Every structure is written in C-alpha cells, then in structure tokens.
Amino acid sequence: MHAAGAKRSATTSLATLALFIVTACSGGGGSGVGGQGTTPPPDDRVSSSARVLAVKIDNVAPARPPTGLDRADIVYVEQVEAGLSRILAIYSSDVPSVVGPVRSARETDLELLRQFERPTLAYSGAQSRLTPLIEAAPLNPLPPSKDPDAYFRSNDRPAPHNLYLRPGNIPHAGSDTNAAEGIGLRFGPAPSGGKPVSEQTVRYPAARFAFTWSADQKRWLVEMDGAPARTADGGRLAAATVVLQEVTVRPSLFRDRSGNTSPFTETVGSGSATVLREGKAYDAEWARDTAESRTAFTTPGGKRMTFAAGQIWIVYVAR
C-alpha cells in the first residue's frame, strides 16, 4: 500500500473506532429520518437485538458443506484474504439448531451489521487489533470465549473448519419477522422489464460463484468453485433472489496470520446492482447514506426494488 493510502486508511479506521465507541456509550442507532437510504422508523426495524443472529461462516473447500445456511433469511458473501470468500448468515424468522462451521470476524462485518438493531454476532474470534472495534460496535459479540457452551467441535473435519454454534444454548429467541423485511427490503411482484438469464457468475481472485435458474424449483441453484453447493443433508443451496451489489473493496490495516492484507468492503455509499429473480436479471441501484442507514435498492426509475419470497443472497462484487 502507498504511504498516502495507508495514512487515509489509518485515519478511516481510527474514525470508525471513535464512532463505534460513541455509539456504544450512547446506546445505539442513529437519529436519521426514515426513508430511502436513511434510518427507518422504529416500527420498520427488527425490534429486539436478541432476534437477529448473524453467524460468520467458513467457506473454503475443507469447510463445505455448511450446516444451517439454507435456513438463513439473508446470506452475505464477501471477499477476504488471498482472494477467498466468507459468508455472513443472518437469521431471524427461522433459526436452526446448529449453524456452522463458524470462523473469525472481519472489519467489513461491523459496518455491514450496523443496518440491524444490535444483532448478536457469532464468530470464532478475531485478530487482537480488531477486537476493540468489535467490543465497541453496536452489537452483541459472541465468540466461544464468552459462551463456550454455545459452541462445539465436530469430528468430521479438521480444525479450524469444525467449530459449530448451537443457537439454542445462547439462548436465542427467533422472530416472526424476516430479517430482510426488518431492514426495509420488500417481497412482492417483480418490477416491469428485466432480461431473461439462465446463469450468472461472480469471480473473486481465488473463488467463484455461479447462480443457475431452476424453473422446476423456482430458485437460483448455487455453485461454488465449479461444484454444486450443498447443504449438510445433501440438498442444494438455492436462493429465491440474488443481488450482485457493486462495491468498493480496498485494503484495510489488518492482516491474517499468514500476513495477507484483509480487504475492507465498503457498504456505505451508492452504486449499481443486478437483481436476479424468477429467471430474469434486473438493473438496480443501491444507496446507503451512513453506517446507521439501511441499504435501499431501487429500480433505475427510482421505485423500490422488490424481491421474490424466500432466501436472499447478497454478493459483494468489486467495482
């Protein structure tokens, strides 16, 4: 990283830490006015921090297949070190008895999760320099060190890819509210237009995702690195809606144990997106004014984008 870039990143991270600390001390969310790209009114948000559970899920080949991912309301896919991918699964309306394998948190997660009202974040740990930011963020951190009874290691795969969460041991109270609706996303009929597509592919430097439309299942079947993505019981991972959200991905100040720089995905800002639903691709735009705001997806004409009922995958794609 150039010296000027490093200085800017350092300033950003320090400012982020200060903002987290101020927010934590003042009791949480921002004071924006409800609307597109702004903080929604209280009745349009997930009402209790205990009702939104975010789990950081491992996604390298030795960690597959995942357990409980098919029951998440939202599946976020982000780039991590060495061009690999990791998943942040959001649960509210349906919480499985076991979720995993669980891996470590990243700086990207903290900004992303500000859309939810103090969610519980389950993760295996984090590097020491990131830990203060996690502790100061407006969320409920839940690594094994805080609640070892909520986790266990399986014998079917090697560490570190064998750590699992038992949400019932937190305890975690589910909700009748879908987490997507809790942050302002809306299920409904498709907008006009759209281009028929049968498959869409996203490539990271060292990972690849393909989404293939199945007219029989009325879902987008997921492939990872050229192989069908399956659940722990052998079923196919599939999404009702897939959002390919174009974002800025830049180096952060953090590195993994191997010395690889951790990328930071900027989820505050605006840009283009492609929404896949019911065998069509729709052009869309996204905007998120501040970290306290929720992400608004709109059609090019400015109308709120609607999503097909079922699981939503949001894949962050570098501009």
Side-chain angles (χ1 to χ4, degrees), residues 124-313:
S124 64
Q127 71 141 265
S128 58
R129 294 176 61 202
L130 182 59
T131 298
L133 274 72
I134 296 174
E135 294 293 339
L139 53 78
N140 301 315
L142 189 76
S145 59
K146 286 198 172 182
D147 194 347
D149 291 338
Y151 293 88
F152 71 95
R153 290 198 179 271
S154 72
N155 296 319
D156 64 345
R157 61 189 68 184
H161 313 293
N162 63 347
L163 181 68
Y164 291 84
L165 173 74
R166 288 192 178 98
N169 286 6
I170 297 176
H172 177 79
S175 167
D176 292 333
T177 301
N178 187 296
E181 294 179 302
I183 58 170
L185 305 185
R186 291 292 175 263
F187 299 107
S192 60
K195 177 183 178 181
V197 295
S198 59
E199 182 177 337
Q200 197 85 5
T201 300
V202 174
R203 289 179 172 84
Y204 289 173
R208 178 163 58 94
F209 297 84
F211 302 92
T212 303
W213 175 248
S214 169
D216 292 337
Q217 297 188 34
K218 300 189 184 302
R219 292 288 185 272
W220 295 90
L221 304 181
V222 183
E223 292 184 7
M224 296 182 184
D225 301 328
R230 299 194 178 277
T231 63
D233 60 6
R236 285 294 298 271
L237 284 173
T241 304
V242 179
V243 180
L244 309 180
Q245 184 177 344
E246 296 182 12
V247 294
T248 296
V249 180
R250 60 168 174 80
S252 74
L253 294 179
F254 302 99
R255 296 177 181 271
D256 67 9
R257 293 181 178 179
S258 299
N260 298 305
T261 299
S262 298
F264 180 82
T265 298
E266 296 183 2
T267 57
V268 172
S270 61
S272 301
T274 300
V275 177
L276 307 177
R277 57 169 295 175
E278 296 158 344
K280 288 186 175 182
Y282 296 85
D283 292 332
E285 297 172 354
W286 69 271
R288 185 180 177 199
D289 299 339
T290 67
E292 294 82 5
S293 305
R294 65 192 182 191
T295 305
F297 293 96
T298 57
T299 67
K303 295 183 178 179
R304 177 179 285 191
M305 188 70 203
T306 53
F307 303 86
Q311 189 176 76
I312 298 174
W313 280 55

